[in-house]
Amino acid sequence: MGVEEEFLLVDAETRRPVPCADDVLARVGGLRAGRVHGELHATQVEFASGVCTTAGQLADQLTAGQRALDRAARDVGALLVPAGAPVLGATPPPRRDQERFRRITDLYGGQVADYQCCGCHVHVGVPDRDTAVAVVNHLRPWLPTLLALSVNSPFAHGRDTGFGSWRMVEQSRFPGSGVPPRFGSADEYDAAVARLVDCGVVVDAGMSFWLARLSAKYPTVEVRAADTAACVEAAVAQAVLTRALVDRALADLAAGREGPVLDDQVLAAAVWTAARYGLDGPGVDPRRGVRVPATDLVTALVRHAGLPDVPRGDGGARLQRRAAAGGLVAVVDALARACIGGGGGGNPPS
């Protein structure tokens, strides 16, 4: 497994996003594993771990990567902030000058002018692309609950949105977002992506907004449901839980059990409800199409994945709202501290 995690860069004085990604990236060095790179806007950076086989190995790599980015950010008067959306607003940031980023901004225009959302993407290795498609079919009912566990963007551009994950609301505005359709083969999957390209709504076959997809670069399933985690422990927990779900899917496939056929509208309702409430309210059971406590869905997911439990902690959204008693600057500071010092997410499962 591996994790790609995006972070915001904010000015150390104003706590507002600051476009210093190139300066930060130029100062990062000495990483033994993983890599750093920029995103669409110059206010964001990403750390991508190497391939890991244990939770401890992943935690070590994520910690080292975040500390290196944090040091580099402080060197240029910025802070590294693990939030799904900017807590405080600023003028729309400049786009990083790369050909693919130019194509994206040309296509989406104002939709991405101030889109600075950050996610935690988990890669899990699979034997081949047809198997990967079958695994994603098994993951579909659990993607909303993975989101609910991760919500970390209740504030955006200076206001409380009322959601746990405003990032997911912003992402849902893009074509082809949400839970992916159910496909019967890799050929079907590739044809669907090609249709989106032919329709002119994504820039190339390596781009989709589904919450789980086949990686365009690696022999993996890439699960993109989670907001950027407020601390390393929460990111590791998301990765280990995702790997356990993939392992369960592979076991089910070996036993001849295919992924369930589910109502796409119910799945969309489950994603919206997870983004709205996180674990602090109802969820939607995609299999039964009914409202249930979100915590019941977590219990069912953990049981299905074969894990003894998964750390619940306070979560990023709870951390932010608790800190907000001191104002939104205090929210940014709490996130910056959690990023490098741990955020109370508990010990990751092995």
Side-chain angles (χ1 to χ4, degrees):
M1 61 181 171
V3 165
E4 297 172 332
E5 196 159 27
E6 299 156 341
F7 301 93
L8 286 162
L9 296 166
V10 305
D11 185 272
E13 296 297 326
T14 68
R15 281 35 165 227
R16 297 178 184 274
V18 59
C20 60
D22 287 339
D23 288 340
V24 170
L25 294 172
R27 285 167 169 77
V28 175
L31 288 174
R32 294 184 178 180
R35 66 190 189 283
V36 296
H37 57 81
E39 288 294 321
L40 174 66
H41 291 306
T43 54
Q44 294 170 280
V45 290
E46 178 179 290
F47 176 74
S49 78
V51 177
C52 300
T53 57
T54 68
Q57 183 183 17
L58 180 60
D60 288 345
Q61 290 194 20
L62 293 178
T63 298
Q66 289 185 21
R67 286 178 176 168
L69 283 168
D70 179 73
R71 286 192 299 269
R74 290 174 188 271
D75 284 347
V76 299
L79 300 173
L80 187 73
V81 175
V87 175
L88 291 169
T91 57
R95 177 198 68 206
R96 296 185 70 245
D97 189 22
Q98 293 183 11
E99 192 274 336
R100 190 168 188 265
F101 293 155
R102 287 195 292 272
R103 292 171 60 199
I104 290 171
T105 52
D106 288 346
L107 176 61
Y108 295 116
Q111 193 173 1
V112 296
D114 204 15
Y115 182 81
Q116 300 171 77
C117 294
C118 297
C120 176
H121 304 164
V122 179
H123 289 261
V124 181
V126 290
D128 55 72
R129 287 174 59 80
D130 280 318
T131 301
V133 168
V135 165
V136 170
N137 290 340
H138 277 277
L139 295 179
R140 293 173 77 232
W142 306 111
L143 295 172
T145 306
L146 289 174
L147 168 62
L149 278 163
S150 78
V151 293
N152 185 27
S153 47
F155 298 98
H157 303 288
R159 66 188 179 96
D160 188 333
T161 67
F163 280 73
S165 175
W166 191 247
R167 162 189 160 267
M168 188 52 57
V169 176
E170 293 230 12
Q171 187 172 314
S172 69
R173 297 169 181 169
F174 290 95
S177 63
V179 175
R182 192 178 190 280
F183 297 110
S185 67
D187 286 343
E188 281 188 21
Y189 177 95
D190 291 339
V193 174
R195 278 195 298 273
L196 293 175
V197 176
D198 290 343
C199 287
V201 296
V202 296
V203 299
D204 54 41
M207 184 181 199
S208 75
F209 295 97
W210 291 325
L211 301 187
R213 67 185 189 184
L214 277 60
S215 171
K217 299 188 226 176
Y218 310 112
T220 64
V221 167
E222 182 183 3
V223 176
R224 303 156 52 85
D227 284 4
T228 283
C231 63
V232 165
E233 291 86 353
V236 174
Q238 183 81 198
V240 171
L241 188 53
T242 301
R243 182 179 64 176
L245 288 171
V246 172
D247 288 345
R248 172 62 190 268
L250 291 170
D252 284 343
L253 290 169
R257 294 186 290 271
E258 297 294 329
V261 177
L262 302 168
D263 186 298
D264 288 340
Q265 290 300 302
V266 172
L267 285 167
V271 171
W272 184 91
T273 305
R276 175 69 172 85
Y277 301 107
L279 298 182
D280 294 326
V284 171
D285 185 333
R287 294 173 180 270
R288 295 187 291 144
V290 296
R291 177 182 272 203
V292 299
T295 51
D296 287 0
L297 296 173
V298 176
T299 299
L301 186 155
V302 170
R303 185 182 304 118
H304 175 81
L307 292 173
D309 200 1
V310 62
R312 316 274 175 104
D314 272 348
R318 291 177 182 172
L319 168 72
Q320 290 195 43
R321 286 206 164 102
R322 187 169 62 245
L328 293 186
V329 167
V331 174
V332 178
D333 290 346
L335 287 163
R337 289 193 301 270
C339 182
I340 57 172
N347 294 322
S350 60

